[in-house]
Amino acid sequence: MVKEVANRPKVRLPRFLRQRYVAQVKEKVNLTIPFTGNPKPVVSWTKNGGPLDPKRVNIRSTERDSILFIRAAERDDSGVYEICVKVDDFEDRASLTLQIVELPGPPASVKIVDTWGFNVALEWTPPKDKGNTEITGYTVQKADKKTGDWFTVLEHYHRLNATISDLIMGNTYKFRVFSENKCGMSDSAAVTKEEAKISKTGIDYKPLEYKEHDFNEAPKFTTSLTDRATTVGYNTKLLCSVRGFPKPKVEWMKNQMIIGDDPKFRQICVQGICSLEIRKPGNFDGGVYSCRAKNDHGEAIVSCKLDVKQPVLPDGDKK
């Protein structure tokens, strides 16, 4: 009898798996671990020294490699995975560390410590949930109480306290802080409960009196309609432009009858540019088209004539 000569098994762990393999939550994990050995080695896997959960992790092995597959990774899939390949009484092992990360939570708290001059001192605490990885920085924003608009004042900031300067005298501010890790910035922020009022420093400021400009205006067409000629079956568009305040209400008419919601016509008015598209006009779609604009201060109207012609047939097609 001839017995097959056994070759000791050897796991060839790829270089990128020798440190730590990091993936984001919901990402697919598909890792191939090659090995050698003869006859075909027996392959087994463990996670943190225990068996794998077959509902979470799928293993497929051939004579040359073993594939670890996770369809949609979760943070609980993090851990140390060990592969063992065995031929007779010989075996070889290799381990890899899988780290599943996601966006961090917001800082646990943020507060205003002091206010002086045009400056505010802030302090905050790290987030309770770091997203299963280290925090790489913080983003600090300010908002003036008058507008409520948020503006970034610090990005990728590493400390847990900061001084915000160059604030405007007489304004009241709120602040918020986002956490950052390698996945990005937290979805929400920690917001200060207190407000910082930048006091006036002995300057009696008297604003200049001015008369507010009256922007109200009756509708006025800045571009009128022009007479058009088109061919049966070819989409045609009429254009004009109007201004007025408050924004005028625009109506289109055909032969002094309001078009309304007729699906044959498409009416658009954006930033004062008004258009009427006539879809595949027929012989009866010719006539006088008008655009009327009106608001509380008056109305205006422009008109044009549309002539719809039959297509010209080649001589050979004439009967």
Side-chain angles (χ1 to χ4, degrees):
M1 294 179 63
V2 179
K3 184 177 180 180
E4 186 176 12
V5 179
N7 289 334
R8 288 174 177 262
K10 179 65 177 176
V11 179
R12 307 288 185 182
L13 191 66
R15 184 180 298 274
F16 74 95
L17 294 176
R18 295 175 189 174
Q19 299 292 328
R20 182 184 298 267
Y21 184 81
V22 180
Q24 294 190 27
V25 168
K26 302 302 182 185
E27 276 188 352
K28 179 173 65 175
V29 176
N30 191 5
L31 304 177
T32 301
I33 314 299
F35 53 78
T36 58
N38 189 52
K40 179 182 177 181
V42 177
V43 181
S44 61
W45 283 84
T46 60
K47 176 190 174 186
N48 298 331
L52 301 183
D53 182 358
K55 295 179 181 178
R56 298 288 317 142
V57 184
N58 182 264
I59 300 294
R60 184 174 62 84
S61 299
T62 67
E63 295 181 356
R64 296 183 303 275
D65 56 38
S66 184
I67 298 174
L68 182 148
F69 179 75
I70 303 174
R71 185 174 300 279
E74 299 292 343
R75 281 169 62 166
D76 289 342
D77 294 322
S78 302
V80 179
Y81 291 77
E82 185 178 63
I83 179 176
C84 174
V85 293
K86 189 172 183 180
V87 175
D88 294 340
D89 296 330
F90 304 105
E91 68 176 38
D92 190 28
R93 298 173 180 267
S95 62
L96 62 95
T97 301
L98 186 61
Q99 183 178 0
I100 309 300
V101 300
E102 62 181 337
L103 292 175
S109 65
V110 59
K111 62 182 179 179
I112 297 173
V113 180
D114 194 10
T115 302
W116 73 99
F118 304 102
N119 311 291
V120 170
L122 299 176
E123 283 185 359
W124 58 91
T125 53
K128 296 179 181 178
D129 182 4
K130 296 182 179 181
N132 202 29
T133 184
E134 70 275 4
I135 295 298
T136 58
Y138 298 92
T139 293
V140 182
Q141 296 182 339
K142 67 178 180 181
D144 180 4
K145 190 175 179 180
K146 294 178 182 177
T147 64
D149 296 330
W150 291 97
F151 295 94
T152 298
V153 292
L154 293 172
E155 281 186 298
H156 316 308
Y157 187 76
H158 295 284
R159 299 171 62 183
L160 295 174
N161 54 70
T163 298
I164 311 303
S165 305
D166 299 327
L167 301 175
I168 298 175
M169 182 178 62
N171 286 6
T172 300
Y173 292 91
K174 296 192 76 170
F175 301 88
R176 67 182 183 184
V177 183
F178 293 87
S179 307
E180 302 173 15
N181 65 12
K182 64 177 62 181
C183 296
M185 197 163 67
S186 58
D187 290 328
S188 59
V191 185
T192 55
K193 295 180 180 178
E194 317 87 11
E195 295 176 341
K197 182 176 176 63
I198 308 302
S199 302
K200 299 179 181 180
T201 55
I203 300 176
D204 187 12
Y205 174 70
K206 186 178 180 180
L208 297 174
E209 294 184 3
Y210 65 95
K211 184 178 180 181
E212 189 170 333
H213 181 72
D214 184 7
F215 290 97
N216 291 322
E217 180 185 13
K220 179 181 179 181
F221 282 93
T222 55
T223 304
S224 185
L225 294 171
T226 56
D227 292 344
R228 293 285 307 276
T230 187
T231 305
V232 170
Y234 289 85
N235 290 358
T236 301
K237 185 179 289 188
L238 306 178
L239 290 170
C240 60
S241 61
V242 66
R243 75 182 187 198
F245 191 85
K247 182 181 177 181
K249 178 183 178 183
V250 174
E251 292 179 326
W252 285 91
M253 297 176 290
K254 175 188 174 185
N255 298 330
Q256 299 184 350
M257 298 290 291
I258 295 176
I259 292 174
D261 296 327
D262 189 333
K264 187 177 185 67
F265 301 92
R266 186 176 181 218
Q267 307 175 45
I268 300 176
C269 188
V270 178
Q271 296 183 347
I273 307 299
C274 306
S275 66
L276 175 70
E277 183 179 359
I278 307 165
R279 296 169 172 169
K280 296 184 178 180
N283 293 324
F284 300 102
D285 289 320
V288 177
Y289 286 84
S290 304
C291 182
R292 179 169 62 192
K294 57 183 178 180
N295 62 14
D296 295 338
H297 302 285
E299 68 174 59
I301 189 169
V302 290
S303 301
C304 71
K305 184 179 180 182
L306 178 66
D307 187 15
V308 181
K309 301 179 180 180
Q310 286 290 341
V312 177
L313 298 176
D315 293 341
D317 294 343
K318 295 181 180 179
K319 296 182 180 180

